[in-house]
Amino acid sequence: MAASGAPLWAVCVLRLALATVYFQEEFLDGERWRNRWVQSTNDSQLGHFRLSSGKFYGHKEKDKGLQTTQNGRFYAISARFKPFSNKGKTLVIQYTVKHEQKMDCGGGYIKVFPADVDQKNLNGKSQYYIMFGPDICGFDIKKVHVILHFKNQYHSNKKSIRCKVDGFTHLYTLILRPDLTYEVKIDSQSIEAGSIEYDWNLTSLKKMEKSSAESKDWAQAKDDKSQDWEKHFLDASASKPSDWNSELDGDWPAPMLQKPPYQDGLKPEGIDKDVWLHQKMKNTNYLTEYDLSEFENIGAIGLELWQVRSGTIFDNFLITDDEEYAENFGKTTWGETKVKNRTLAELQEPPPTPSQLAPTPKASNGSNP
Ligand SMILES: *[C@@H]1O[C@H](CO)[C@@H](O)[C@H](O)[C@H]1NC(C)=O
Ligand SMILES: *[C@@H]1O[C@H](CO)[C@@H](O)[C@H](O)[C@H]1NC(C)=O
């Protein structure tokens, strides 16, 4: 990991005691990043990265990051850190990306991998936990991906989040919280937020699993002659006594069934299927099994993407459990240099004129509006 600059430590000194920083990379030590980042050799055609602050920048050294250098290539590079689980903790993933080449079609996202990822062989099929960040292609695709791996499948966010399409440096932040809420920020501004359950189509996943669990287990329960009903089932046929006062006495505890309520050849009686399912789900922490945002063995971050026109710069990577630390890190890195970055860009490159926006070969359309 790159050493933090002094100003950052000064700003964050109070937070440091509380925040856990799993990974932080600012590329402040020259070519030493090559010892920390592993270029995949899975395909000899994979594109190469170099360290660069680009054609315009706010600070020549601080704004250096990994830049894609070859057009029409796949790229695959990654860095490791000490593996951790985000169970019960907030997870913040943040980085900056600058498409100074005026991106027409290409990925600007990062992937977070399990610790056992094969870095030397990193490729499009390498299983990841999280994919996050902008993706641009033509007029149709200008979105921020948030893809979570869960139960051997990748799940995309349902809400479409629009990404930035200009050539400046932008700060992208993803926050996954243990209460199953999430937030996506661009340039420190909240762009999308909500419940992971609703925004990842989990409701349908849950329904599917529920109905299959229901039919399978219920059939088994009915067939299992030695089933100890007593332990599992409420007597759904019993009703609350008329003199029961819920305010004084609390919730009325439905009596448990005393005995297996059936004999050979008879169906279970007096058991309501919904009550049975409810009890079963309660007992097995059914809901917490649907935590899409919980990853056991997070251990690497990488860039695995395709670009038609190269020149994108990735910088200021951060993975932490502390939202405030990330906020400060964003301010002291991206925040410090963004204004100068823009001014310099405008001096060097006036806004493109319509003639410069003429179609380029291969790309379906030239620049972004
Ligand atoms: C690329 O990686 C895959 C596994 O992900 C492997 O089967 C294949 O042999 C690798 N190719 C090279 C050239 O190493
Ligand atoms: C939600 O999930 C169901 C079942 O997996 C799938 O058929 C449907 O297309 C999904 N909807 C969206 C918007 O992803």
Side-chain angles (χ1 to χ4, degrees), residues 41-44 118 120-123 125-126:
T41 52
N42 192 254
D43 186 327
S44 60
D118 182 356
K120 277 266 164 219
N121 269 321
L122 193 75
N123 61 62
K125 291 198 179 110
S126 305

Side-chain angles (χ1 to χ4, degrees), residues 186-197:
I186 303 180
D187 299 346
S188 288
Q189 302 291 310
S190 188
I191 296 294
E192 194 57 82
S195 145
I196 291 171
E197 175 171 346

Side-chain angles (χ1 to χ4, degrees), residues 144-155:
V144 179
H145 291 286
V146 187
I147 301 178
L148 305 173
H149 184 260
F150 178 73
K151 298 211 169 189
N152 291 319
Q153 277 178 44
Y154 294 111
H155 300 273

Side-chain angles (χ1 to χ4, degrees), residues 78-320:
S78 61
R80 263 188 196 294
F81 42 85
K82 191 166 162 244
F84 70 96
S85 160
N86 69 324
K87 197 174 174 131
K89 282 181 274 182
T90 294
L91 178 64
V92 187
I93 297 166
Q94 182 173 285
Y95 69 105
T96 58
V97 59
K98 175 197 193 188
H99 295 310
E100 70 172 18
Q101 75 276 37
K102 302 203 165 59
M103 172 65 81
D104 41 23
C105 187
Y109 42 80
I110 53 120
K111 289 181 176 179
V112 173
F113 295 96
D116 60 7
V117 67
D118 182 356
Q119 288 182 281
K120 277 266 164 219
N121 269 321
L122 193 75
N123 61 62
K125 291 198 179 110
S126 305
Q127 189 231 300
Y128 59 86
Y129 281 147
I130 301 169
M131 178 171 137
F132 169 59
D135 195 10
I136 299 174
C137 202
F139 281 120
D140 294 339
I141 302 175
K142 285 165 184 160
K143 67 179 288 187
V144 179
H145 291 286
V146 187
I147 301 178
L148 305 173
H149 184 260
F150 178 73
K151 298 211 169 189
N152 291 319
Q153 277 178 44
Y154 294 111
H155 300 273
S156 296
N157 50 324
K158 273 192 296 187
K159 281 189 185 154
S160 79
I161 309 175
R162 201 186 149 87
C163 68
K164 297 283 179 185
V165 292
D166 60 38
F168 299 113
T169 306
H170 293 288
L171 180 70
Y172 282 84
T173 308
L174 171 65
I175 303 165
L176 301 174
R177 303 192 188 91
D179 65 357
L180 290 186
T181 62
Y182 77 100
E183 189 168 349
V184 171
K185 294 189 197 176
I186 303 180
D187 299 346
S188 288
Q189 302 291 310
S190 188
I191 296 294
E192 194 57 82
S195 145
I196 291 171
E197 175 171 346
Y198 297 119
D199 289 0
W200 266 264
N201 200 10
L202 245 193
T203 317
S204 65
L205 189 73
K206 236 184 230 176
K207 262 192 211 131
M208 258 165 47
E209 298 238 336
K210 182 179 157 187
S211 60
S212 75
E214 200 172 329
S215 49
K216 187 168 133 256
D217 292 6
W218 178 247
Q220 196 187 359
K222 284 195 295 181
D223 289 350
D224 186 357
K225 304 292 188 281
S226 64
Q227 179 76 42
D228 182 2
W229 296 99
E230 210 173 350
K231 272 190 195 145
H232 299 279
F233 306 111
L234 296 169
D235 184 354
S237 62
S239 53
K240 185 157 77 175
S242 54
D243 60 350
W244 188 271
N245 184 329
S246 296
E247 285 190 351
L248 290 176
D249 304 322
D251 285 343
W252 181 68
M256 302 300 283
L257 289 165
Q258 294 304 304
K259 285 180 185 167
Y262 68 98
Q263 296 165 331
D264 276 357
L266 292 176
K267 285 187 172 180
E269 281 174 33
I271 297 169
D272 182 276
K273 195 165 160 182
D274 288 333
V275 175
W276 171 80
L277 199 67
H278 177 74
Q279 285 302 101
K280 182 178 155 61
M281 284 174 357
K282 235 164 85 176
N283 290 343
T284 56
N285 274 332
Y286 184 81
L287 284 174
T288 61
E289 283 177 35
Y290 286 85
D291 191 347
L292 246 87
S293 55
E294 207 169 76
F295 305 101
E296 279 305 318
N297 194 27
I298 305 172
I301 187 168
L303 303 167
E304 190 286 307
L305 42 86
W306 159 264
Q307 293 203 326
V308 170
R309 223 183 315 174
S310 63
T312 302
I313 297 172
F314 299 89
D315 194 10
N316 303 312
F317 295 94
L318 175 70
I319 304 179
T320 179

